[in-house]
Structure formats: structure tokens, C-alpha cells
Amino acid sequence: MIYLSAKDWLNAPHKRVLFYGMSGLGKTHLSNMLRGSGDWFHYSIDYRIGTRYMGEWIADNAKTHAMQVPFLRDLLMTDSIYIGSNITFDNLSPVSTYLGKPGDPAKGGLPIDEYRVRQDQFRRAEINALEDTSYFIERAGRLYGYPNFVCDTGGSICEWVDGNNPEDTLLTELSKHCLLVRIQGDDRHTQELIRRFDRAPKPMCYQPEFLEACWREYLSENNVSEESVDPDSFIRWTYARALAHRAPRYEAMAKWGVTVTADEVAAVTDVNAFESLIAQALERAG
């Protein structure tokens, strides 16, 4: 870890942290609060994915749908209109919309082969965006003069690393530059995340082996063909399984940094409280 003690952290002129954990536990809440203080550069992995690594695919997908409308097709073919995504830190919907859900096209689903392609595109984009962290640390200081840096990761980071491997390439790189901070929920948070997801199911990215196992099991359990799968039903069915699948992977990553709880995060209202929380986490880590 780049800070070996609470004292090292509190006295550091440049504080650099990376948040990870399931979506909905407070990563972006903390990141927005730190950015709002004026001294922290907020590097959003999902924003980087949508603007740098998947922006063209996202825009082309929108154009594909527009080309099916004669009026819009004529305007596009004559360069009379421009179609692009309006991705912001607070609106990352274009990324999730492109990622999509597998199943019946009549219900908004994607053919499973196309879904697999987009899953792999997102996987590569997320890894690339994470690898860009050190560049943005340098850029934030050189260009904007920010002394502090926060990397706000997506919930699927645990799918691409092996926390039990002391030589994991991506974790080794990230831990050279940031203090990795796990935000951990309890059973109560897990049940709330499941209820929230059930109300508004959103596309996710899965480890390929996990996706394939869930897809085969869902088809068999429900006795449906690939083309007849209800997209929302499938990702609702998969969500609790995804949480259980990711839990040990997050746990394995924890040894690379420190852990704070979702309740502790919810109580943080300013930078001083945040810095104190991280100091306490370092003390707990020994």
C-alpha cells in the first residue's frame, strides 16, 4: 500500500484513492463529494469507458436505429444531423443501454451472440480505462494542479483481477498509484440492492464463464429458447447470483488495500470526515 499508516495518510501532500465494490454502496457519492471540495480530481472509470473506449460503438448503435426511420436516414446520409451520446458523470445511461440485455428482440433484447460481443467490448474497455489511472493522476496534477485524486470504479472490476494472485498485473499497477478502498455492504445492503435492482433492472457486465453458466441454467430451468428469453427476467434472475459470485472476489481484493463499510461511507459528509475514515481503516488494517 502507498500509505503504510494513518499518520502517513494524514500527512501525505498528495492523497490518491481508488474505490471499488458493488454499485449502489457509495463509490460515486464519495467521489462527487470529494470532487466538490475543489482539491480532488475525480476519475470515473465508467465515464472514461463511454467517452474514450466505447463512444464510437455507442454512437453507431444509435445511428443504426435512426437509419431505420426514413426521415432520419435521409438527414444522416446528407450529414444534416449529428447523433452522439451525452455522457456525463451523472448520466452514464448510454453505456448501459449499449451493453444491453440478452433475449427476445421484441422485448428489447439482444441476440446472445451480439450480447457476448458487447460484453467483451466492455471488458476490454474497462481494463484499458483502469490501466489509464496512472496517466490521469499525472495529468490531473500537471494540467489542472489537483493535489488529490480519486478513481471511481465500476462494480465489475473484480471480474478481471485475481486478488489471490500476488502478481496480478492490474492490481499491482493500481496499488502502485492509489490506496485501494473497498466499500463493503452487509446482508441488509445486499437485500436492498436486490430490491432496487428488481424495481429497475440495469445491464451489467459479467465474467464470461459466469455468464455462460447462468445462460445455460436459465434456459434449462425455464424451458425457453434463446430467442424467447425475457431480457429483464434474465438479468433479474442473474443479479443475486452475480452478487454471490462477486463477494469472494471482492474479499480476495481486500488484502491489497483497506476496507470501509457502506454505513461508514453514508455517514461521511465532508473531506475531513473522509480523511479520518481512511485513517481509521488503515489502523484497522494494522
Side-chain angles (χ1 to χ4, degrees), residues 254-283:
K255 64 177 69 72
W256 291 77
V258 299
T259 297
V260 298
T261 69
D263 286 339
E264 289 175 327
V265 166
V268 170
T269 57
D270 57 36
V271 172
N272 289 336
F274 168 73
E275 292 183 359
S276 295
L277 175 60
I278 299 302
Q280 293 168 17
L282 282 162
E283 290 177 347

Tab-separated table of all heavy atoms in Angstrom, residues 254-283:
chain	number	residue	atom	x	y	z
A	254	ALA	N	-9.446	-7.434	-1.039
A	254	ALA	CA	-9.359	-6.586	0.155
A	254	ALA	C	-7.952	-6.513	0.712
A	254	ALA	O	-7.544	-5.488	1.285
A	254	ALA	CB	-10.329	-7.085	1.225
A	255	LYS	N	-7.168	-7.592	0.565
A	255	LYS	CA	-5.810	-7.605	1.118
A	255	LYS	C	-4.877	-6.629	0.407
A	255	LYS	O	-3.775	-6.354	0.894
A	255	LYS	CB	-5.236	-9.017	1.074
A	255	LYS	CG	-5.037	-9.582	-0.323
A	255	LYS	CD	-4.394	-10.966	-0.322
A	255	LYS	CE	-5.322	-12.023	0.225
A	255	LYS	NZ	-6.441	-12.358	-0.701
A	256	TRP	N	-5.310	-6.099	-0.722
A	256	TRP	CA	-4.494	-5.146	-1.475
A	256	TRP	C	-4.680	-3.705	-0.982
A	256	TRP	O	-4.034	-2.788	-1.489
A	256	TRP	CB	-4.843	-5.210	-2.960
A	256	TRP	CG	-4.414	-6.472	-3.627
A	256	TRP	CD1	-5.022	-7.699	-3.554
A	256	TRP	CD2	-3.278	-6.655	-4.472
A	256	TRP	NE1	-4.344	-8.624	-4.310
A	256	TRP	CE2	-3.268	-8.018	-4.885
A	256	TRP	CE3	-2.275	-5.805	-4.933
A	256	TRP	CZ2	-2.291	-8.543	-5.727
A	256	TRP	CZ3	-1.303	-6.320	-5.780
A	256	TRP	CH2	-1.308	-7.670	-6.165
A	257	GLY	N	-5.569	-3.506	-0.025
A	257	GLY	CA	-5.810	-2.151	0.453
A	257	GLY	C	-6.532	-2.164	1.783
A	257	GLY	O	-6.203	-2.942	2.672
A	258	VAL	N	-7.526	-1.302	1.917
A	258	VAL	CA	-8.288	-1.211	3.164
A	258	VAL	C	-9.770	-1.363	2.862
A	258	VAL	O	-10.200	-1.257	1.715
A	258	VAL	CB	-8.033	0.134	3.883
A	258	VAL	CG1	-6.554	0.283	4.253
A	258	VAL	CG2	-8.495	1.322	3.023
A	259	THR	N	-10.545	-1.595	3.920
A	259	THR	CA	-11.984	-1.782	3.792
A	259	THR	C	-12.729	-0.797	4.676
A	259	THR	O	-12.347	-0.583	5.836
A	259	THR	CB	-12.385	-3.217	4.183
A	259	THR	OG1	-11.780	-4.147	3.277
A	259	THR	CG2	-13.900	-3.396	4.136
A	260	VAL	N	-13.762	-0.184	4.133
A	260	VAL	CA	-14.696	0.629	4.910
A	260	VAL	C	-16.090	0.080	4.647
A	260	VAL	O	-16.331	-0.567	3.625
A	260	VAL	CB	-14.621	2.127	4.543
A	260	VAL	CG1	-13.238	2.693	4.849
A	260	VAL	CG2	-14.958	2.351	3.066
A	261	THR	N	-17.003	0.319	5.551
A	261	THR	CA	-18.356	-0.208	5.365
A	261	THR	C	-19.246	0.822	4.676
A	261	THR	O	-18.985	2.032	4.720
A	261	THR	CB	-18.988	-0.595	6.707
A	261	THR	OG1	-19.256	0.586	7.466
A	261	THR	CG2	-18.065	-1.518	7.498
A	262	ALA	N	-20.307	0.323	4.079
A	262	ALA	CA	-21.260	1.216	3.424
A	262	ALA	C	-21.897	2.164	4.434
A	262	ALA	O	-22.193	3.324	4.106
A	262	ALA	CB	-22.327	0.400	2.708
A	263	ASP	N	-22.123	1.701	5.658
A	263	ASP	CA	-22.686	2.573	6.689
A	263	ASP	C	-21.709	3.684	7.055
A	263	ASP	O	-22.116	4.835	7.276
A	263	ASP	CB	-23.044	1.764	7.939
A	263	ASP	CG	-24.296	0.911	7.734
A	263	ASP	OD1	-25.087	1.234	6.827
A	263	ASP	OD2	-24.457	-0.072	8.470
A	264	GLU	N	-20.429	3.353	7.137
A	264	GLU	CA	-19.425	4.385	7.413
A	264	GLU	C	-19.389	5.415	6.291
A	264	GLU	O	-19.286	6.629	6.543
A	264	GLU	CB	-18.049	3.741	7.585
A	264	GLU	CG	-17.886	2.951	8.870
A	264	GLU	CD	-16.561	2.231	8.952
A	264	GLU	OE1	-16.035	1.804	7.885
A	264	GLU	OE2	-16.027	2.085	10.073
A	265	VAL	N	-19.463	4.949	5.073
A	265	VAL	CA	-19.455	5.851	3.920
A	265	VAL	C	-20.670	6.775	3.945
A	265	VAL	O	-20.572	7.983	3.672
A	265	VAL	CB	-19.419	5.034	2.610
A	265	VAL	CG1	-19.747	5.915	1.405
A	265	VAL	CG2	-18.055	4.389	2.436
A	266	ALA	N	-21.827	6.223	4.276
A	266	ALA	CA	-23.056	7.027	4.298
A	266	ALA	C	-22.983	8.152	5.320
A	266	ALA	O	-23.665	9.177	5.172
A	266	ALA	CB	-24.256	6.131	4.589
A	267	ALA	N	-22.150	7.985	6.351
A	267	ALA	CA	-22.041	8.999	7.405
A	267	ALA	C	-21.045	10.101	7.058
A	267	ALA	O	-20.978	11.110	7.763
A	267	ALA	CB	-21.631	8.337	8.725
A	268	VAL	N	-20.284	9.926	5.986
A	268	VAL	CA	-19.277	10.922	5.600
A	268	VAL	C	-19.951	12.096	4.903
A	268	VAL	O	-20.665	11.914	3.916
A	268	VAL	CB	-18.215	10.295	4.679
A	268	VAL	CG1	-17.309	11.368	4.087
A	268	VAL	CG2	-17.389	9.275	5.439
A	269	THR	N	-19.706	13.288	5.414
A	269	THR	CA	-20.340	14.481	4.832
A	269	THR	C	-19.344	15.513	4.328
A	269	THR	O	-19.738	16.473	3.662
A	269	THR	CB	-21.247	15.161	5.873
A	269	THR	OG1	-20.465	15.485	7.034
A	269	THR	CG2	-22.398	14.236	6.261
A	270	ASP	N	-18.062	15.353	4.658
A	270	ASP	CA	-17.074	16.310	4.179
A	270	ASP	C	-15.708	15.635	4.081
A	270	ASP	O	-15.529	14.478	4.481
A	270	ASP	CB	-17.007	17.555	5.070
A	270	ASP	CG	-16.707	17.235	6.533
A	270	ASP	OD1	-15.922	16.301	6.800
A	270	ASP	OD2	-17.252	17.934	7.413
A	271	VAL	N	-14.739	16.379	3.553
A	271	VAL	CA	-13.415	15.822	3.308
A	271	VAL	C	-12.729	15.419	4.603
A	271	VAL	O	-12.071	14.368	4.671
A	271	VAL	CB	-12.543	16.835	2.528
A	271	VAL	CG1	-11.102	16.339	2.432
A	271	VAL	CG2	-13.107	17.057	1.132
A	272	ASN	N	-12.866	16.220	5.638
A	272	ASN	CA	-12.219	15.881	6.908
A	272	ASN	C	-12.724	14.545	7.450
A	272	ASN	O	-11.946	13.715	7.939
A	272	ASN	CB	-12.452	16.986	7.939
A	272	ASN	CG	-11.671	18.250	7.633
A	272	ASN	OD1	-10.646	18.191	6.948
A	272	ASN	ND2	-12.149	19.389	8.110
A	273	ALA	N	-14.031	14.339	7.348
A	273	ALA	CA	-14.600	13.074	7.812
A	273	ALA	C	-14.103	11.910	6.954
A	273	ALA	O	-13.837	10.814	7.462
A	273	ALA	CB	-16.120	13.140	7.785
A	274	PHE	N	-13.959	12.153	5.669
A	274	PHE	CA	-13.444	11.112	4.788
A	274	PHE	C	-12.003	10.757	5.140
A	274	PHE	O	-11.653	9.569	5.241
A	274	PHE	CB	-13.522	11.560	3.329
A	274	PHE	CG	-12.759	10.664	2.390
A	274	PHE	CD1	-13.239	9.405	2.086
A	274	PHE	CD2	-11.557	11.087	1.840
A	274	PHE	CE1	-12.526	8.563	1.231
A	274	PHE	CE2	-10.836	10.254	0.993
A	274	PHE	CZ	-11.327	8.997	0.691
A	275	GLU	N	-11.168	11.768	5.326
A	275	GLU	CA	-9.766	11.503	5.651
A	275	GLU	C	-9.646	10.762	6.981
A	275	GLU	O	-8.807	9.860	7.124
A	275	GLU	CB	-8.984	12.815	5.681
A	275	GLU	CG	-8.853	13.468	4.310
A	275	GLU	CD	-8.023	14.738	4.329
A	275	GLU	OE1	-7.554	15.142	5.429
A	275	GLU	OE2	-7.822	15.333	3.249
A	276	SER	N	-10.504	11.093	7.916
A	276	SER	CA	-10.499	10.388	9.203
A	276	SER	C	-10.931	8.935	9.029
A	276	SER	O	-10.373	8.031	9.667
A	276	SER	CB	-11.428	11.093	10.199
A	276	SER	OG	-10.954	12.384	10.514
A	277	LEU	N	-11.919	8.705	8.172
A	277	LEU	CA	-12.393	7.344	7.926
A	277	LEU	C	-11.274	6.481	7.339
A	277	LEU	O	-11.072	5.338	7.757
A	277	LEU	CB	-13.597	7.372	6.983
A	277	LEU	CG	-14.129	6.003	6.537
A	277	LEU	CD1	-14.565	5.166	7.740
A	277	LEU	CD2	-15.286	6.178	5.552
A	278	ILE	N	-10.543	7.024	6.373
A	278	ILE	CA	-9.450	6.255	5.768
A	278	ILE	C	-8.340	6.020	6.788
A	278	ILE	O	-7.746	4.927	6.823
A	278	ILE	CB	-8.900	6.967	4.523
A	278	ILE	CG1	-9.998	7.111	3.457
A	278	ILE	CG2	-7.710	6.215	3.949
A	278	ILE	CD1	-10.613	5.804	3.017
A	279	ALA	N	-8.073	6.987	7.635
A	279	ALA	CA	-7.072	6.791	8.689
A	279	ALA	C	-7.489	5.650	9.619
A	279	ALA	O	-6.669	4.802	9.993
A	279	ALA	CB	-6.897	8.093	9.484
A	280	GLN	N	-8.764	5.603	9.970
A	280	GLN	CA	-9.257	4.517	10.821
A	280	GLN	C	-9.136	3.172	10.105
A	280	GLN	O	-8.772	2.157	10.733
A	280	GLN	CB	-10.728	4.775	11.182
A	280	GLN	CG	-10.957	5.985	12.081
A	280	GLN	CD	-12.424	6.367	12.171
A	280	GLN	OE1	-13.303	5.568	11.829
A	280	GLN	NE2	-12.694	7.591	12.607
A	281	ALA	N	-9.413	3.151	8.814
A	281	ALA	CA	-9.308	1.912	8.049
A	281	ALA	C	-7.859	1.416	7.997
A	281	ALA	O	-7.595	0.211	8.075
A	281	ALA	CB	-9.850	2.114	6.632
A	282	LEU	N	-6.923	2.350	7.878
A	282	LEU	CA	-5.504	1.970	7.878
A	282	LEU	C	-5.090	1.425	9.238
A	282	LEU	O	-4.316	0.456	9.316
A	282	LEU	CB	-4.649	3.177	7.485
A	282	LEU	CG	-4.625	3.505	5.991
A	282	LEU	CD1	-4.125	4.930	5.762
A	282	LEU	CD2	-3.747	2.509	5.231
A	283	GLU	N	-5.606	2.004	10.295
A	283	GLU	CA	-5.307	1.494	11.628
A	283	GLU	C	-5.867	0.091	11.812
A	283	GLU	O	-5.209	-0.782	12.396
A	283	GLU	CB	-5.876	2.441	12.696
A	283	GLU	CG	-5.134	3.773	12.782
A	283	GLU	CD	-5.768	4.713	13.805
A	283	GLU	OE1	-6.905	4.410	14.247
A	283	GLU	OE2	-5.144	5.734	14.150
